[in-house]
Amino acid sequence: RRDCNSRHSRHLPVSLPVSTSNINALELQSHFQILVQPIVHPALNVALVSSSIAILLGYHINLARKEDGSSSSSNTKTKTWRQYQADTRESWSRHVRQTEGWLYAIQSLRNAITAQTFLATTVLSLLTLITGRIWDIIRSTVNVAERNLLTVQLTTIAMTMLGSAYQFLQGVRLMTHAGFMFPVMKNS
């Protein structure tokens, strides 16, 4: 018991007021203030964020060029992972139509809708947590350059996560519409 108390005493302030009725906001803030120390130099942080954005943009631009056929000299389209997914979806729907496996199709769509709804909800929940934490850090930052950098980081994170949630929800919408195209009864 003594070890436990001595271990926790390192994390709690020593001069906490006994009564909570006389605690004002400044005292509370001074007791539980979180010191934000930059881990890396701000210039290095700018370079890392910029290079991350450039790599992501370069990847998607290169992927689009390969799919359009404009990246090679022979102007032939390169088969990318997105094309493999499209081909798999096409063969799946062809199989469902040929075997009349409507129940299998509906169950597959239901499972995919459930998964994508869960993922969209998770992305938005994480975005809420990240935004709240970064917003507190931005408000406590004194350096204007560091504040601007954190704002750029928050904006890029938010745009990426909102785009991801939007894509998940669009997938749910499209699969719901596709579900209505399957016959409910045989020979209908």
Side-chain angles (χ1 to χ4, degrees):
R1 175 91 186 167
R2 191 166 202 213
D3 269 342
C4 182
N5 287 340
S6 65
R7 189 172 4 135
H8 290 300
S9 66
R10 291 182 302 189
H11 301 294
L12 293 176
V14 177
S15 61
L16 281 177
V18 176
S19 171
T20 57
S21 61
N22 62 357
I23 298 177
N24 64 24
L26 288 175
E27 286 178 352
L28 192 61
Q29 184 179 3
S30 68
H31 286 296
F32 297 105
Q33 184 177 17
I34 299 172
L35 298 175
V36 180
Q37 298 284 335
I39 296 173
V40 295
H41 192 271
L44 180 60
N45 208 356
V46 169
L48 292 172
V49 170
S50 301
S51 64
S52 298
I53 292 170
I55 288 169
L56 188 62
L57 284 175
Y59 169 75
H60 284 288
I61 290 170
N62 187 33
L63 188 64
R65 288 180 63 211
K66 282 183 178 179
E67 290 174 343
D68 290 341
S70 59
S71 65
S72 63
S73 60
S74 62
N75 284 339
T76 59
K77 292 184 180 184
T78 304
K79 197 166 189 173
T80 62
W81 62 269
R82 291 195 288 201
Q83 186 61 47
Y84 282 112
Q85 277 188 334
D87 293 344
T88 302
R89 284 191 299 269
E90 186 178 331
S91 66
W92 176 81
S93 54
R94 198 176 287 123
H95 168 76
V96 168
R97 278 184 264 129
Q98 289 172 352
T99 61
E100 294 186 2
W102 309 121
L103 181 61
Y104 165 71
I106 294 296
Q107 288 173 342
S108 297
L109 286 174
R110 181 201 60 209
N111 293 343
I113 288 170
T114 303
Q116 288 197 351
T117 304
F118 171 75
L119 290 171
T121 305
T122 304
V123 165
L124 293 176
S125 298
L126 287 173
L127 178 60
T128 303
L129 291 172
I130 291 169
T131 301
R133 180 67 183 131
I134 292 180
W135 186 254
D136 286 342
I137 294 172
I138 288 173
R139 288 188 327 174
S140 67
T141 302
V142 180
N143 187 350
V144 176
E146 192 173 334
R147 182 178 293 163
N148 290 339
L149 180 64
L150 287 169
T151 304
V152 169
Q153 288 176 339
L154 177 61
T155 303
T156 55
I157 289 169
M159 287 174 31
T160 304
M161 293 183 86
L162 286 173
S164 175
Y166 176 77
Q167 294 298 325
F168 284 133
L169 293 174
Q170 285 299 314
V172 169
R173 183 182 69 82
L174 292 172
M175 284 187 279
T176 302
H177 289 297
F180 288 110
M181 292 189 289
F182 294 120
V184 178
M185 297 170 52
K186 194 170 183 139
N187 299 328
S188 62

